[in-house]
Each structure stands twice: as C-alpha cells, then as structure tokens.
Amino acid sequence: MVRIDAAAYACRWQGVAPSAKGLFALAGIVAAWISRSPGVLALLALMSALATLAGARVPLRTYFAVALAPLGFLSLSCLTMVLTPATGGGWQWTPSLLPKVSVIALRSLAVMTAVLGLMLTTPMPDLLLLLRRLRAPELLLDMMALSYRMLFVLRQAWDEGSTAQAARLGHRGWRQSWRSMGLLAGQMAVQVWQRASALQAAADARAWQGSLRFLPASFPNARREVALALLAGAMLLALALGDWLWA
C-alpha cells in the first residue's frame, strides 16, 4: 500500500482529474470484456500498461512489484484450469483447453492493467473524491478512509517495534527473529486497537456527524483532461467493438 501511494503521488498524472483517469480505466475494462480474440486482448493490456508506464511515468520496477501478486494469482488460476483430474488418480495436462484459458488469461490481464493504471496514478484522497461524486455510500467511504489511515499507523508501529527489537539483539539468528516477530505481532494488535479507540474518541469529541470530509483538490484542466480521456477510451472501445463484430 505504501508503494502504491508513493507511486501515485510521484507520477506525472498526479494532478490529472480523477474523473479522467477513472473514465480511461473504465473504458479499458469494458473493452476487455467486449473483445474476444487473444491478439486484441493482448494489445489492450499493452496499451493500458504503456499509458501507465510511458504516459504517467510510473517506474517499471514499481509497476511489476505491485503487479506481482495478481500475476501470480492469475498464473496459478490458469494452471488449475488446464490441469484436470486423471482417471487413475493425480492430474493430467489438457492441451485442448489452452485456447479458452488463453483468452481468459489475456482478458484478466487487460482488466488488471486498466485497474493498475488507476491505482498507481490516483492518490487515495482523489479516489475518495471521485467515489463521493459518484454517490458511493458514505459508510463505505468512511471505512476506506479509516482503513487507509490505519495502514500507515500499523506500518509506523511495526517499524518502531522492529527497530527497538533490533537494538536489543532481538533479530540475532532465524529462531530469535521469528520469536521477535511473533511477539511484535501480538503487541501490534493491542496497539492498533488502542489507536483506533483514540481516533473514535477524537471524532466523538469533535461532534462527528457520520461522514469524514476532506479539503477537495482543484483540477483547473479537468474538462480538457476528461475530453482526452474520452477520446482515448473511445479508441479502446472502437478496437474492442471491431474485434467483437469481426468475430
């Protein structure tokens, strides 16, 4: 989460209106669902990835570090689809399923790259602003904001505890390191609970009315950026519709 947030604040599109980035990501997702051929799906995934890497200038190392977990899940899912139970027990390779599995994998990859583009270029406050304009439930937005805050609180408490343990030779050897990590994890649960209670007490003391409000960011070029996003999204949708009609 820290890596994603740092990339969103450091990228070239940090000041772009979140509505424009959301429209482009939505167009990429819809185009991926419409397309049928593996070539077009691979092209859609490549275009979304290039928009994030070359357009927003997200570092390649950061992009692959964030994409590693969903790519691993996707690879494992595809592997289980081409391996079927054998008659005498065990598993057998089913090459006849490869065309269908490849389409599923490429469609998932195209959707993933579109979502990653939105994640790695849009800070959380801008994303909350976009969801509020889309009339998302206030309870959901408040839970997202509090969870976002608690992640950084948890990271800070973990770093402080780990530094204190290292200063007392708590990480000397693998066995001692695992024991120290277990003790720290147990203490972390108590600390996070206490800090969450403190946040609730602070909100009650300020007459909290059930919704968290933030200073909205200004995007002076929002109309031009939305128009460009609509144009780019229309290109993706036209490519997908052409593939659907041709198929």
Side-chain angles (χ1 to χ4, degrees):
M1 183 64 190
V2 177
R3 188 189 295 268
I4 295 174
D5 204 61
Y9 277 104
C11 75
R12 186 183 181 184
W13 289 354
Q14 189 270 332
V16 176
S19 55
K21 292 179 283 190
L23 282 172
F24 182 71
L26 180 61
I29 294 172
V30 174
W33 280 106
I34 294 176
S35 300
R36 295 184 179 183
S37 64
V40 174
L41 288 170
L43 181 60
L44 290 173
L46 180 62
M47 292 173 67
S48 296
L50 285 178
T52 305
L53 294 171
R57 295 183 181 176
V58 174
L60 183 63
R61 183 176 180 180
T62 301
Y63 189 88
F64 280 107
V66 175
L68 184 61
L71 282 176
F73 178 79
L74 178 60
S75 301
L76 183 60
S77 301
C78 294
L79 183 62
T80 57
M81 284 189 284
V82 295
L83 291 177
T84 57
T87 305
W91 301 88
Q92 66 178 3
W93 182 260
T94 311
S96 60
L97 296 177
L98 283 177
K100 293 183 179 179
V101 172
S102 62
V103 171
I104 294 174
L106 289 172
R107 178 173 287 118
S108 302
L109 183 63
V111 173
M112 186 194 73
T113 53
V115 175
L116 281 179
L118 180 63
M119 289 172 49
L120 292 172
T121 59
T122 310
M124 180 60 72
D126 294 348
L127 186 59
L128 292 175
L129 176 64
L130 176 62
L131 292 175
R132 180 167 280 116
R133 289 180 177 176
L134 293 176
R135 306 296 181 183
E138 289 292 336
L139 178 60
L140 174 62
L141 299 180
D142 292 345
M143 292 180 64
M144 290 176 61
L146 290 175
S147 300
Y148 174 74
R149 168 59 182 162
M150 290 307 299
L151 283 174
F152 290 93
V153 171
L154 182 65
R155 176 63 183 269
Q156 180 183 2
W158 180 272
D159 290 342
E160 292 175 353
S162 181
T163 302
Q165 287 180 339
R168 293 169 175 81
L169 302 179
H171 294 168
R172 184 179 56 184
W174 283 101
R175 186 174 182 180
Q176 186 68 20
S177 297
W178 280 105
R179 182 177 182 274
S180 299
M181 289 177 61
L183 292 174
L184 181 59
Q187 291 295 324
M188 287 288 297
V190 179
Q191 290 187 26
V192 171
W193 181 267
Q194 292 175 347
R195 297 193 186 195
S197 299
L199 285 175
Q200 181 65 39
D204 293 339
R206 290 167 175 80
W208 180 53
Q209 298 297 323
S211 62
L212 299 174
R213 295 292 176 178
F214 302 92
L215 183 65
S218 60
F219 302 97
N221 301 320
R223 291 186 177 180
R224 181 172 63 87
E225 292 163 355
V226 169
L228 291 175
L230 286 174
L231 179 61
M235 293 175 60
L236 296 179
L237 291 174
L239 181 64
L241 284 173
D243 178 53
W244 183 75
L245 292 174
W246 182 263

